[in-house]
Amino acid sequence: QQTGTVYRPVGSPFTPLLREISVPGFKGANSIWGATGRDDEGHIWFGVSGSGKDPAHLVEFDPELDRFVDHGDAVSALRSAGIYREGEEQIKIHSKIIQMDDGWLYFASMDETGENSKSGQLPRWGSHFWRYKPSADHWQHLFAAPEGLIAVNGVGRFVYALGYWGHVLYQYDTHTGEARQIRVGSEGGHISRNLISDSNGHAYVPKVRYINLKPQSDDKETASLERMLIVMLVEFDQDLNKLQSTPMIH
């Protein structure tokens, strides 16, 4: 049952479990596109995407103090790093914000200008891969990518990012600082907003594939049966070797 913005389980009216939090805005603030994470202090981190040409911000919430801290925006971070290009836009932080074993928070910012899924046109300004250490209050730039880096995940040493179009998988080694990539492939402009990783340093990328079936007749009602969608989870090891593709039935 709901009382205002506090949600309580039925039968336990005096123990709130869930409450709605009003996020402070900024000029051009749009939405949180799944860009969430938490650190080992229990603080919640999220990326608030901008609109128009307004850049995305990195925001922290301390649940004990009930306090928000805005840690700046992606364009200002590019300027601080000395790599800003005149007119560059980074309106979204779409990826999860992942804390790795080194204590840094890893995430990606991205642009959407001019992108086109049908033609495969990449966003004009591409993406940037960042890390942020809460104690240092500083965005550190790791690498730029021409694709839109929409998903980030990682465990232990290796953190992964997935970019569109074509599902390009990036791996960043937190021990050596080396970044590598491999093209997984994607059909029909499909993108995934999530990928999976495990403690072995493996990454699992969702992928769709279309199979053309032999038409059974000229009946328009069976035309949709001429093409079948296959959904798979593609596994890569820490050396980016493809291990297997597992069909995801249903």
mmCIF file of all heavy atoms in Angstrom, residues 201-218:
data_model
loop_
_atom_site.group_PDB
_atom_site.id
_atom_site.type_symbol
_atom_site.label_atom_id
_atom_site.label_comp_id
_atom_site.label_asym_id
_atom_site.label_seq_id
_atom_site.Cartn_x
_atom_site.Cartn_y
_atom_site.Cartn_z
ATOM 1 N N GLY A 201 36.379 -12.762 -15.758
ATOM 2 C CA GLY A 201 36.769 -11.781 -16.760
ATOM 3 C C GLY A 201 36.072 -11.974 -18.090
ATOM 4 O O GLY A 201 36.487 -11.413 -19.101
ATOM 5 N N HIS A 202 35.000 -12.781 -18.098
ATOM 6 C CA HIS A 202 34.263 -13.033 -19.335
ATOM 7 C C HIS A 202 33.144 -12.002 -19.500
ATOM 8 O O HIS A 202 32.608 -11.482 -18.520
ATOM 9 C CB HIS A 202 33.663 -14.434 -19.324
ATOM 10 C CG HIS A 202 34.690 -15.525 -19.375
ATOM 11 N ND1 HIS A 202 34.396 -16.818 -19.739
ATOM 12 C CD2 HIS A 202 36.031 -15.516 -19.117
ATOM 13 C CE1 HIS A 202 35.494 -17.559 -19.687
ATOM 14 N NE2 HIS A 202 36.492 -16.787 -19.302
ATOM 15 N N ALA A 203 32.803 -11.737 -20.755
ATOM 16 C CA ALA A 203 31.699 -10.843 -21.079
ATOM 17 C C ALA A 203 30.677 -11.603 -21.907
ATOM 18 O O ALA A 203 31.020 -12.458 -22.722
ATOM 19 C CB ALA A 203 32.200 -9.629 -21.856
ATOM 20 N N TYR A 204 29.408 -11.280 -21.696
ATOM 21 C CA TYR A 204 28.300 -11.943 -22.386
ATOM 22 C C TYR A 204 27.460 -10.861 -23.055
ATOM 23 O O TYR A 204 26.875 -10.011 -22.382
ATOM 24 C CB TYR A 204 27.458 -12.748 -21.403
ATOM 25 C CG TYR A 204 28.244 -13.771 -20.622
ATOM 26 C CD1 TYR A 204 29.013 -13.394 -19.516
ATOM 27 C CD2 TYR A 204 28.224 -15.112 -20.992
ATOM 28 C CE1 TYR A 204 29.742 -14.333 -18.796
ATOM 29 C CE2 TYR A 204 28.947 -16.063 -20.277
ATOM 30 C CZ TYR A 204 29.704 -15.658 -19.192
ATOM 31 O OH TYR A 204 30.433 -16.589 -18.483
ATOM 32 N N VAL A 205 27.415 -10.902 -24.386
ATOM 33 C CA VAL A 205 26.773 -9.845 -25.157
ATOM 34 C C VAL A 205 25.494 -10.365 -25.808
ATOM 35 O O VAL A 205 25.529 -11.335 -26.568
ATOM 36 C CB VAL A 205 27.720 -9.321 -26.253
ATOM 37 C CG1 VAL A 205 27.059 -8.211 -27.049
ATOM 38 C CG2 VAL A 205 29.030 -8.833 -25.636
ATOM 39 N N PRO A 206 24.346 -9.754 -25.545
ATOM 40 C CA PRO A 206 23.115 -10.134 -26.255
ATOM 41 C C PRO A 206 23.243 -9.787 -27.735
ATOM 42 O O PRO A 206 23.797 -8.747 -28.099
ATOM 43 C CB PRO A 206 22.037 -9.286 -25.583
ATOM 44 C CG PRO A 206 22.634 -8.853 -24.282
ATOM 45 C CD PRO A 206 24.101 -8.729 -24.536
ATOM 46 N N LYS A 207 22.705 -10.641 -28.582
ATOM 47 C CA LYS A 207 22.799 -10.426 -30.021
ATOM 48 C C LYS A 207 21.574 -11.024 -30.694
ATOM 49 O O LYS A 207 21.101 -12.087 -30.294
ATOM 50 C CB LYS A 207 24.073 -11.079 -30.575
ATOM 51 C CG LYS A 207 24.269 -10.912 -32.076
ATOM 52 C CD LYS A 207 25.551 -11.584 -32.535
ATOM 53 C CE LYS A 207 25.738 -11.446 -34.033
ATOM 54 N NZ LYS A 207 26.985 -12.095 -34.510
ATOM 55 N N VAL A 208 21.093 -10.354 -31.726
ATOM 56 C CA VAL A 208 19.982 -10.894 -32.513
ATOM 57 C C VAL A 208 20.477 -11.206 -33.921
ATOM 58 O O VAL A 208 21.385 -10.554 -34.441
ATOM 59 C CB VAL A 208 18.781 -9.927 -32.576
ATOM 60 C CG1 VAL A 208 18.230 -9.650 -31.197
ATOM 61 C CG2 VAL A 208 19.158 -8.633 -33.259
ATOM 62 N N ARG A 209 19.861 -12.211 -34.503
ATOM 63 C CA ARG A 209 20.190 -12.592 -35.875
ATOM 64 C C ARG A 209 18.905 -12.985 -36.579
ATOM 65 O O ARG A 209 18.039 -13.652 -36.004
ATOM 66 C CB ARG A 209 21.174 -13.767 -35.875
ATOM 67 C CG ARG A 209 21.657 -14.164 -37.259
ATOM 68 C CD ARG A 209 22.926 -15.021 -37.163
ATOM 69 N NE ARG A 209 22.707 -16.252 -36.426
ATOM 70 C CZ ARG A 209 22.356 -17.418 -37.003
ATOM 71 N NH1 ARG A 209 22.203 -17.482 -38.314
ATOM 72 N NH2 ARG A 209 22.187 -18.491 -36.280
ATOM 73 N N TYR A 210 18.779 -12.559 -37.826
ATOM 74 C CA TYR A 210 17.596 -12.882 -38.617
ATOM 75 C C TYR A 210 17.911 -14.032 -39.561
ATOM 76 O O TYR A 210 18.955 -14.057 -40.210
ATOM 77 C CB TYR A 210 17.126 -11.671 -39.421
ATOM 78 C CG TYR A 210 16.608 -10.540 -38.559
ATOM 79 C CD1 TYR A 210 17.434 -9.467 -38.234
ATOM 80 C CD2 TYR A 210 15.312 -10.547 -38.067
ATOM 81 C CE1 TYR A 210 16.973 -8.425 -37.442
ATOM 82 C CE2 TYR A 210 14.842 -9.509 -37.278
ATOM 83 C CZ TYR A 210 15.683 -8.451 -36.971
ATOM 84 O OH TYR A 210 15.215 -7.434 -36.188
ATOM 85 N N ILE A 211 17.001 -14.980 -39.624
ATOM 86 C CA ILE A 211 17.133 -16.107 -40.542
ATOM 87 C C ILE A 211 15.989 -16.038 -41.540
ATOM 88 O O ILE A 211 14.817 -15.974 -41.160
ATOM 89 C CB ILE A 211 17.094 -17.453 -39.787
ATOM 90 C CG1 ILE A 211 18.300 -17.575 -38.855
ATOM 91 C CG2 ILE A 211 17.077 -18.614 -40.776
ATOM 92 C CD1 ILE A 211 18.326 -18.868 -38.078
ATOM 93 N N ASN A 212 16.335 -16.026 -42.811
ATOM 94 C CA ASN A 212 15.325 -16.011 -43.858
ATOM 95 C C ASN A 212 14.808 -17.423 -44.097
ATOM 96 O O ASN A 212 15.584 -18.345 -44.364
ATOM 97 C CB ASN A 212 15.901 -15.439 -45.155
ATOM 98 C CG ASN A 212 16.189 -13.953 -45.042
ATOM 99 O OD1 ASN A 212 15.427 -13.220 -44.427
ATOM 100 N ND2 ASN A 212 17.299 -13.515 -45.607
ATOM 101 N N LEU A 213 13.510 -17.606 -43.974
ATOM 102 C CA LEU A 213 12.879 -18.900 -44.170
ATOM 103 C C LEU A 213 12.299 -18.992 -45.577
ATOM 104 O O LEU A 213 11.924 -17.979 -46.172
ATOM 105 C CB LEU A 213 11.769 -19.115 -43.135
ATOM 106 C CG LEU A 213 12.192 -19.000 -41.667
ATOM 107 C CD1 LEU A 213 10.983 -19.160 -40.776
ATOM 108 C CD2 LEU A 213 13.256 -20.028 -41.321
ATOM 109 N N LYS A 214 12.219 -20.170 -46.082
ATOM 110 C CA LYS A 214 11.635 -20.387 -47.402
ATOM 111 C C LYS A 214 10.128 -20.161 -47.318
ATOM 112 O O LYS A 214 9.444 -20.799 -46.505
ATOM 113 C CB LYS A 214 11.917 -21.808 -47.880
ATOM 114 C CG LYS A 214 11.419 -22.074 -49.299
ATOM 115 C CD LYS A 214 11.781 -23.484 -49.736
ATOM 116 C CE LYS A 214 11.268 -23.747 -51.143
ATOM 117 N NZ LYS A 214 11.610 -25.118 -51.597
ATOM 118 N N PRO A 215 9.596 -19.254 -48.118
ATOM 119 C CA PRO A 215 8.147 -18.997 -48.044
ATOM 120 C C PRO A 215 7.347 -20.236 -48.401
ATOM 121 O O PRO A 215 7.677 -20.967 -49.331
ATOM 122 C CB PRO A 215 7.948 -17.869 -49.066
ATOM 123 C CG PRO A 215 9.141 -17.924 -49.964
ATOM 124 C CD PRO A 215 10.270 -18.447 -49.133
ATOM 125 N N GLN A 216 6.289 -20.466 -47.636
ATOM 126 C CA GLN A 216 5.451 -21.648 -47.845
ATOM 127 C C GLN A 216 4.428 -21.434 -48.960
ATOM 128 O O GLN A 216 3.994 -22.386 -49.595
ATOM 129 C CB GLN A 216 4.722 -21.994 -46.539
ATOM 130 C CG GLN A 216 5.674 -22.280 -45.382
ATOM 131 C CD GLN A 216 6.554 -23.470 -45.649
ATOM 132 O OE1 GLN A 216 6.081 -24.517 -46.115
ATOM 133 N NE2 GLN A 216 7.842 -23.329 -45.372
ATOM 134 N N SER A 217 4.047 -20.168 -49.178
ATOM 135 C CA SER A 217 3.050 -19.877 -50.194
ATOM 136 C C SER A 217 3.085 -18.397 -50.509
ATOM 137 O O SER A 217 3.878 -17.644 -49.951
ATOM 138 C CB SER A 217 1.650 -20.275 -49.699
ATOM 139 O OG SER A 217 1.241 -19.420 -48.654
ATOM 140 N N ASP A 218 2.213 -17.974 -51.409
ATOM 141 C CA ASP A 218 2.120 -16.557 -51.749
ATOM 142 C C ASP A 218 1.107 -15.834 -50.871
ATOM 143 O O ASP A 218 0.828 -14.647 -51.078
ATOM 144 C CB ASP A 218 1.713 -16.397 -53.216
ATOM 145 C CG ASP A 218 2.800 -16.910 -54.158
ATOM 146 O OD1 ASP A 218 3.980 -16.846 -53.764
ATOM 147 O OD2 ASP A 218 2.463 -17.372 -55.255
#
